[in-house]
């Protein structure tokens, strides 16, 4: 009988993902610059705007190729596609293509490995980095959707950043609010992210307390 694979042995997909992780993070950052620059500076030179648009399409194509390779390497392809339905959506639907900026939080995994070793520390770094990233990207996305819209009150990045902070915290002062359908969808997403992050923080604190109590009991 052939020996079963070692439980820690990596699959072909996992090996590819590890090799491609850093390049994909760098590409995501390049996409973020190409996406954010015209949003923050609407009066950008048209030739530079075209270059940035070409960069964003190139990066989008690279992510599409990466996903195609992962599907080809997967042992159960249909199951892999179902588990990564969000990648299918973001790649296949051109309207949602700007949401490729959400690949940037994958850099949090690198921060996890480099900066921390304890479970609670990893969770804290991951949650903190994800929160800051989602707030920044949410501010960019809502500014992109709102600026230029009739009766818009979110017209500068500082306004958008303040709105993103209070929305993700589910406070919602009401001094700034989106008036477009896209902006409201972004608001819903930020609220859900805020609730999820609050739950993660609560779980992390509970795990830390539990570990502390168990450690005290062992010492006694």
């Amino acid at each position: 009988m052939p020996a079963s694979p070692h439980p820690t042995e990596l699959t072909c997909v996992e090996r590819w993902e590890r090799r491609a992780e850093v390049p994909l993070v760098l590409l995501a950052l390049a996409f973020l610059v190409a996406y954010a620059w015209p949003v923050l500076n609407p009066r950008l030179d048209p030739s530079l705007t075209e270059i940035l648009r070409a960069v964003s399409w190139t990066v989008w194509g690279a992510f599409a190729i990466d996903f195609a390779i992962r599907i080809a390497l997967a042992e159960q392809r249909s199951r892999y596609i179902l588990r990564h339905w969000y990648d299918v959506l973001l790649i296949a639907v051109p309207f949602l293509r700007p949401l490729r900026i959400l690949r940037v939080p994958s850099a949090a995994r690198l921060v996890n490995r480099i900066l921390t070793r304890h479970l609670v520390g990893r969770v804290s770094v991951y949650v903190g980095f994800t929160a800051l990233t989602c707030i920044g990207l949410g501010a960019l996305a809502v500014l992109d959707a709102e600026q230029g819209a009739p009766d818009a009150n979110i017209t500068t990045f500082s306004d958008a950043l303040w709105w993103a902070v209070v929305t993700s915290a589910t406070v919602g002062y009401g001094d700034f609010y989106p008036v477009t359908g896209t902006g409201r969808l972004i608001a819903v997403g930020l609220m859900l992210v805020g609730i999820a992050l609050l739950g993660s923080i609560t779980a992390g604190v509970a795990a830390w307390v539990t570990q502390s109590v168990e450690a005290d009991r062992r010492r006694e």
Side-chain angles (χ1 to χ4, degrees):
M1 180 182 295
S4 59
H6 193 276
T8 59
E9 183 180 345
L10 297 177
T11 65
C12 292
V13 176
E14 289 170 339
R15 284 197 296 269
W16 168 261
E17 288 176 342
R18 288 201 173 189
R19 291 193 192 102
E21 187 174 50
V22 173
L24 289 179
V25 169
L26 295 176
L27 285 172
L29 292 174
F31 186 92
L32 177 59
V33 171
Y35 172 75
W37 199 346
V39 174
L40 297 175
N41 185 8
R43 299 182 182 84
L44 205 60
D45 184 82
S47 59
L48 182 55
T49 302
E50 287 300 317
I51 293 173
L52 294 175
R53 186 176 293 114
V55 170
S56 66
W57 274 108
T58 301
V59 174
W60 175 84
F63 278 115
I65 293 171
D66 165 67
F67 189 54
I69 292 174
R70 285 188 281 139
I71 293 174
L73 293 175
E75 295 179 358
Q76 299 179 342
R77 294 174 183 174
S78 57
R79 185 176 178 182
Y80 186 85
I81 292 172
L82 288 175
R83 280 171 42 207
H84 295 79
W85 58 268
Y86 47 86
D87 273 326
V88 177
L89 189 66
L90 295 175
I91 291 171
V93 184
F95 177 74
L96 295 178
R97 183 180 55 83
L99 293 182
R100 294 309 300 180
I101 57 177
L102 298 181
R103 291 291 303 212
V104 175
S106 61
R109 289 180 295 174
L110 298 180
V111 177
N112 270 352
R113 294 198 195 110
I114 296 171
L115 297 182
T116 61
R117 291 189 178 182
H118 293 289
L119 176 61
V120 174
R122 287 202 299 269
V123 171
S124 300
V125 172
Y126 184 85
V127 169
F129 187 84
T130 301
L132 292 175
T133 302
C134 289
I135 288 172
L137 297 182
L140 273 175
V142 80
L143 180 61
D144 186 23
E146 294 291 304
Q147 63 182 358
D151 302 323
N153 59 84
I154 302 176
T155 56
T156 66
F157 184 67
S158 60
D159 294 342
L161 190 59
W162 170 250
W163 171 85
V165 170
V166 297
T167 301
S168 62
T170 65
V171 176
Y173 287 112
D175 48 353
F176 296 106
Y177 53 88
V179 298
T180 64
T182 302
R184 289 167 181 165
L185 285 176
I186 295 167
V188 172
L190 268 180
M191 288 180 220
L192 293 176
V193 167
I195 293 170
L197 289 174
L198 181 60
S200 299
I201 293 171
T202 304
V205 172
W208 176 76
V209 171
T210 301
Q211 290 175 6
S212 298
V213 171
E214 289 296 326
D216 289 340
R217 285 178 180 175
R218 291 193 196 100
R219 283 195 294 267
E220 291 174 357

